[in-house]
Amino acid sequence: MARPAKAGRGFPVWLGLAPFGLVLVVLFAVPVLSLLKLAFGEGGFTLVHFHRMIDVPVYRSVLGTTLGIAGLVTVLAVLASYPLAYVMATVGPRARSLLMLLVLLPFWTSALVRTTAWIILLQSNGVVNALLMGSGLTTTPTAFIYNLSGVLIGMTHVLMPFIVLPLYAAFSNLELSTVQAAESLGAGPITVFRRIILPLTAPGVVAGGMIVFMNAIGFYLTPALMGGPGQTMIAQMIASNINTELNWPFAAALATVLLVATVTMLALFQRFFGLERLIEGGGGKAGEPFTVTSRGRSPGGWAAIVAACLVGAFLIAPIIIVFPMSLGSSPFLAFPPDSYSLTWYENFFGTTKWVAALTRSLQIAGLVVAISVVLGTLAALGVARMRPRWRSTVETIFILPMIVPVIILAVGLYYLLAPTGLVGSIWGVTLGHVVLATPYVFITVRAALKSFDGNLEFAALGLGASWATMFRRVMLPSIAPGIAAGAVFAFITSFDDVIIALFLTNIRSRTLPKLMYEGVAHEIDPTIIAASCLIILVTVLVLGGNLLLTKRKTT
């Protein structure tokens, strides 16, 4: 936020940074450092747990599997994202809006809901196998889940938007004149793609790919539900060593390896790209927007449209398919249902455990929104008034909970809070969700402050207004859409969380996502599909309400 030197007096930097900084120290740094201490020995320094990782073949295999799956998911996400991002940049506004919806709706839909939907779609009697056998391509069901293919499909679906969005931004920043100049010199479509488009969009791909890889190496949910023993990843091994073997020191050593890998990737990302790369993309300065030239689409361009349609169907299918299936009356999941009824919705609202879990999730999400909006807004105000020399460092620290795998935070908080009696209470999981959600509020409010004209603040203060009055009458109305967006992100982050709830709740305090996870991990009760639809509807209503509020404030 550009501002005159005197603007911002009356609001000390420490007041903005201290509250969220204290939360990060107590609920993030202390749990993580406690795990590090366990990993290297409580009674004295030792590397025995790390030596065990190297010496025991199964642990070496898990580390190799984690890196291999993360790499494959990143490659698949890049390959699937290119045609979709290209088509988004070269079609009209209406088609672009539809394609953007296909990307963003899955992005904001619970990963648990999408994983559940994929299990239903890909199971032996699911929709995909029915289509393959009905078309004559196969004669027996193909095993798509509880193996590598299931993990790759599920993780690619969850993480692909992290590449589509920066890659689309990179395409949008390409200059049409550059492509036209190459064509006028005789370059064909393949040469244009290889010599111009690919190099200029590569930074966006690499930036998005690093984010996907960072997320993938710490994945827990999809491999646990869609993979088999051969697809066990490091996050699952951490949970297993705590829940089954009660081997906290070795679990801490595994968490340390995962933490070091993630932080190293983040440092590289910051060094070569910066956090803004995900929004700005990798192209050059935008002149005339990139689109189809006068030559029209090449055969490769039309092939990209077909591929983009298939990718769009891949993104939206798991979300659409659950709605008709939730209306089936049979206790066996089938698509399309043989008959329709509201049986499973009636079962959901008529069963105490489901209603209690939903109520608890809404209560926790409400508390998280209230706390994280205050913390995130104060943090953004404090960072905006910092000296530029330290600003980037503090911003990186404040978003660390978004980057560090959630399994590390969940295990650390469990270790920290278990002696206090907060595990199993609403407040224990609320504190964990606040750590996860506040960085989203911080980022959205920080972006809103960058577009706020500091001269307005200076003028109000110069006319005698106190800082509090200036904030309430001038700054708050301007940054309110950013605060509202942060509140939406905080709500969805809390309402959809599974991993924190797995460690910090029990059978009496479990949230709706945890109850669904327990059901999916054993046997899919059709009531879970009804619950999935309700989660999607809640997410859409919250996002839609935010869009309407933002539109009203900007008109």
Side-chain angles (χ1 to χ4, degrees), residues 75 78-79 81-83 85-86 163 166-175 178-179 182 188-207 273 277 281-284 290:
V75 171
V78 169
L79 293 177
S81 297
Y82 248 108
Y86 162 77
I163 293 183
L167 186 54
Y168 165 66
F171 269 111
S172 299
N173 284 337
L174 289 176
E175 293 187 24
T178 305
V179 178
I190 296 178
T191 302
V192 168
F193 177 80
R194 182 171 56 86
R195 301 293 296 274
I196 296 176
I197 294 178
L198 189 59
L200 291 178
T201 57
V205 171
V206 176
F273 300 103
R277 175 64 68 182
F290 175 75

Side-chain angles (χ1 to χ4, degrees), residues 393-406:
T393 301
V394 174
E395 284 180 330
T396 303
I397 293 173
F398 279 177
I399 67 159
L400 273 178
M402 296 173 56
I403 304 299
V404 172
V406 181

Side-chain angles (χ1 to χ4, degrees), residues 50-313:
F50 297 95
H51 289 154
R52 182 185 176 194
M53 247 182 275
I54 298 173
D55 295 337
V56 180
V58 66
Y59 297 124
R60 293 201 307 268
S61 175
V62 167
L63 293 175
T65 298
T66 299
L67 295 175
I69 289 177
L72 285 172
V73 168
T74 303
V75 171
L76 290 173
V78 169
L79 293 177
S81 297
Y82 248 108
L84 184 58
Y86 162 77
V87 172
M88 288 172 64
T90 57
V91 295
R94 290 185 178 180
R96 184 180 301 118
S97 298
L98 176 61
L99 291 174
M100 187 64 75
L101 177 65
L102 295 181
V103 174
L104 293 180
L105 185 56
F107 185 71
W108 288 116
T109 302
S110 166
L112 175 62
V113 171
R114 286 181 281 171
T115 301
T116 304
W118 274 120
I119 293 174
I120 296 168
L121 282 169
L122 299 175
Q123 61 189 351
S124 58
N125 59 341
V127 177
V128 174
N129 269 307
L131 290 174
L132 290 175
M133 290 189 291
S135 63
L137 294 176
T138 60
T139 56
T140 57
T142 303
F144 286 114
I145 54 175
Y146 312 125
N147 52 30
L148 180 60
S149 61
V151 174
L152 294 179
I153 290 171
M155 289 180 62
T156 301
H157 185 268
V158 171
L159 296 174
M160 217 183 85
F162 286 106
I163 293 183
V164 174
L165 297 178
L167 186 54
Y168 165 66
F171 269 111
S172 299
N173 284 337
L174 289 176
E175 293 187 24
L176 180 62
S177 59
T178 305
V179 178
Q180 290 174 326
E183 290 182 344
S184 67
L185 293 173
I190 296 178
T191 302
V192 168
F193 177 80
R194 182 171 56 86
R195 301 293 296 274
I196 296 176
I197 294 178
L198 189 59
L200 291 178
T201 57
V205 171
V206 176
M210 291 182 72
I211 293 295
V212 168
F213 190 85
M214 272 192 287
N215 278 273
I217 58 176
F219 241 59
Y220 176 83
L221 191 64
T222 304
L225 294 178
M226 298 186 69
Q231 291 74 50
T232 301
M233 296 180 67
I234 191 169
Q236 296 165 264
M237 190 61 70
I238 293 171
S240 174
N241 272 274
I242 291 173
N243 296 327
T244 304
E245 301 181 25
L246 302 179
N247 191 342
W248 277 88
F250 187 68
L254 290 169
T256 300
V257 171
L258 182 56
L259 179 65
V260 170
T262 305
V263 172
T264 301
M265 291 290 295
L266 176 62
L268 291 173
F269 184 86
Q270 278 283 65
R271 173 67 178 82
F272 293 104
F273 300 103
L275 297 173
E276 295 81 6
R277 175 64 68 182
L278 287 178
I279 299 174
E280 295 174 357
K285 294 182 179 179
E288 187 178 356
F290 175 75
T291 185
V292 180
T293 63
S294 57
R295 289 187 180 183
R297 294 193 189 274
S298 65
W302 287 108
I305 289 181
V306 174
C309 291
L310 294 175
V311 172

Side-chain angles (χ1 to χ4, degrees), residues 23 75 101 117 141 151 213 221 240 242 255 313 319 326 335 356 358 365 389 430 445 472 516 547:
V23 168
V75 171
L101 177 65
V151 174
F213 190 85
L221 191 64
S240 174
I242 291 173
I319 298 173
S326 70
F335 182 84
L358 173 61
R389 178 182 177 183
T430 297
V445 178
R472 179 171 55 87
M516 291 174 59
L547 289 175

Side-chain angles (χ1 to χ4, degrees), residues 348-349 351-367 426 429-430 491 494-495 508-513 515 534-535 538:
F348 181 92
F349 288 106
T351 305
T352 303
K353 68 174 183 179
W354 288 106
V355 175
L358 173 61
T359 303
R360 196 169 295 110
S361 290
L362 292 173
Q363 289 174 340
I364 292 171
L367 289 170
I426 281 183
V429 72
T430 297
F491 181 90
S494 173
F495 191 71
R508 292 185 299 274
S509 63
R510 57 191 173 186
T511 60
L512 180 60
L515 182 58
L534 292 173
I535 289 179
V538 169

